[in-house]
Amino acid sequence: MSVSLADIRAAAQRIAGRIEPTPTVLSASLGAVAGVPVHLKLEHRQSTGSFKLRGATNAILQLSDAEKARGVVAASTGNHGRALAYAASLEGMRAVICMSRLVPGNKVAEIERLGADVRIVGNSQDDAQVEVERLANEDGLVMLPPFDHPHVVAGQGTLGIEMMQAVPDAATILVPLSGGGLAAGIAAAVKAMNPATRVIGISMARGAAMKASLDAGRPVLVEELPTLADSLGGGVGLDNRVTFAMCRDLLDDVLLLGEAEIAASIRHLYEQEREVVEGAGAVGVAAILAGKVPSDGPVVALVSGRNIDMTLHRQIVNGEPTRFEALDSANPERVA
């Protein structure tokens, strides 16, 4: 199962008026580091604080009236849950969001504020997904997963169209990579519009499930670990139908980052760009700052989310040690 540029263009028309067309800006500070023009796609300014609203809205709007009456359920590391709760509320629908104990409290509280029913289950996305499947089977709720769904992928892919329209000569596009819905959608749009543009997925070193799966040649289980990039946690699903194959076929490379590199990026974005960004949203900029992105032309880095606990953000900006940087020396990936 795959997603085409036609699907993504249809999604763009469908969600127009329900999402913010976020700006793309030139960064002088990062251009000086990279030696080429660097543009930032400021999707963290989306109304729910992350890109997830695009996919959630596109999926919700394609449900039948009968499905809308049943309500929706999903597992989430926070941002998909917030987006789904928001999109469902606009349609007067019930939404149940299942999350693990690793999801930061600020994200849980925001989902509850939007009126969703929150279930905290286990210590991983996989644990939360078990509860999702139970609710779908027993209560009849419609499952709308955070990434492995063609309508979700198409919605996220609208970002690829916007980035290529803003920077038509982009040589490299940097995309946060977790379950692959965002990366797959953007890569599908970008490669259809300009096959020469490189699309690179960026993840944290600790528990990068898609990277481990791509290396193995099949979806594998990876233990979910604490990380500053908490929104990139979770597995890809052993029965992955959409995103694994698309990421395998469309991504040019995958880069991994340590916790200190992610913290440095959060700090840089605040000090130099005056932007509050969460760890997962800052990984593209982190890769540039770490010197891991050679490019012979303009780079576009997606800044994908802002939903960070502000106490943690203040610690990072002030240069105070957090519990995450010390994890760089720990075993970054445990494959089952």
Side-chain angles (χ1 to χ4, degrees), residues 293-311:
V293 187
S295 182
D296 57 2
V299 174
V300 183
L302 176 62
V303 182
S304 60
R306 67 167 185 260
N307 299 321
I308 188 171
D309 178 88
M310 290 309 296
T311 299

Side-chain angles (χ1 to χ4, degrees), residues 10-333:
Q13 293 182 338
R14 192 175 294 114
I15 68 178
R18 295 196 177 220
I19 59 107
E20 297 290 334
T22 51
T24 301
V25 301
L26 188 65
S27 169
S29 66
L30 292 169
V33 172
V36 295
V38 174
H39 303 260
L40 300 178
K41 173 62 169 171
L42 303 180
E43 183 65 8
H44 67 300
R45 296 186 185 177
Q46 194 55 252
S47 54
T48 58
S50 86
F51 71 94
K52 290 287 191 177
L53 186 60
R54 294 171 182 262
T57 299
N58 189 48
I60 286 279
L61 292 179
Q62 293 184 79
L63 295 177
S64 67
D65 289 343
E67 288 172 323
K68 288 180 180 179
R70 288 158 54 192
V72 292
V73 62
S76 176
T77 54
N79 286 338
H80 175 64
R82 181 172 178 173
L84 196 60
Y86 180 84
S89 70
L90 295 181
E91 297 295 311
M93 295 170 54
R94 180 190 181 197
V96 181
I97 309 301
C98 301
M99 295 178 285
S100 82
R101 296 184 185 93
L102 292 180
V103 176
N106 65 298
K107 293 185 176 182
V108 175
E110 184 60 25
I111 293 169
E112 291 176 329
R113 186 190 68 79
L114 289 168
D117 179 4
V118 171
R119 308 286 177 90
I120 305 299
V121 183
N123 296 308
S124 71
Q125 281 276 85
D126 293 330
D127 292 340
Q129 183 61 30
V130 172
E131 178 68 2
V132 168
E133 292 170 5
R134 186 190 71 79
L135 289 167
N137 291 330
E138 296 181 8
D139 293 2
L141 294 168
V142 178
M143 285 193 292
L144 280 183
F147 55 87
D148 195 36
H149 190 293
H151 297 164
V152 172
V153 172
Q156 321 303 27
T158 60
L159 276 163
I161 294 176
E162 291 181 19
M163 287 190 283
M164 291 304 292
Q165 289 173 338
V167 190
D169 60 341
T172 304
I173 289 182
L174 306 177
V175 185
L177 176 64
S178 179
L182 176 65
I186 288 177
V190 169
K191 292 296 186 179
M193 297 173 76
N194 184 359
T197 301
R198 299 176 73 232
V199 181
I200 299 176
I202 317 288
S203 194
M204 67 286 168
R206 292 176 52 78
M210 183 60 80
K211 177 65 164 64
S213 297
L214 293 172
D215 289 346
R218 70 188 195 287
V220 297
L221 292 174
V222 174
E223 184 180 356
E224 193 170 338
L225 300 169
T227 172
L228 273 172
D230 54 87
S231 293
L232 300 185
V236 304
L238 295 182
D239 59 348
N240 188 290
R241 300 177 304 138
V242 184
T243 62
F244 172 77
M246 290 184 70
C247 287
R248 179 195 63 204
D249 296 343
L250 296 173
L251 292 182
D252 293 284
D253 199 1
V254 175
L255 303 177
L256 300 182
L257 297 164
E259 299 297 308
E261 291 171 327
I262 297 170
S265 179
I266 293 171
R267 189 160 47 248
H268 178 94
L269 280 161
Y270 184 76
E271 293 177 347
Q272 300 297 323
E273 308 293 339
R274 296 298 186 263
E275 302 289 348
V276 173
V277 180
E278 65 182 282
V283 293
V285 170
I288 295 170
L289 292 173
K292 296 181 177 180
V293 187
S295 182
D296 57 2
V299 174
V300 183
L302 176 62
V303 182
S304 60
R306 67 167 185 260
N307 299 321
I308 188 171
D309 178 88
M310 290 309 296
T311 299
L312 175 61
H313 188 269
R314 283 191 292 273
Q315 287 179 311
I316 293 170
V317 168
N318 292 334
E320 300 172 15
T322 74
R323 66 187 180 93
F324 295 99
E325 290 91 331
L327 298 174
D328 280 337
S329 60
N331 184 12
E333 181 180 281

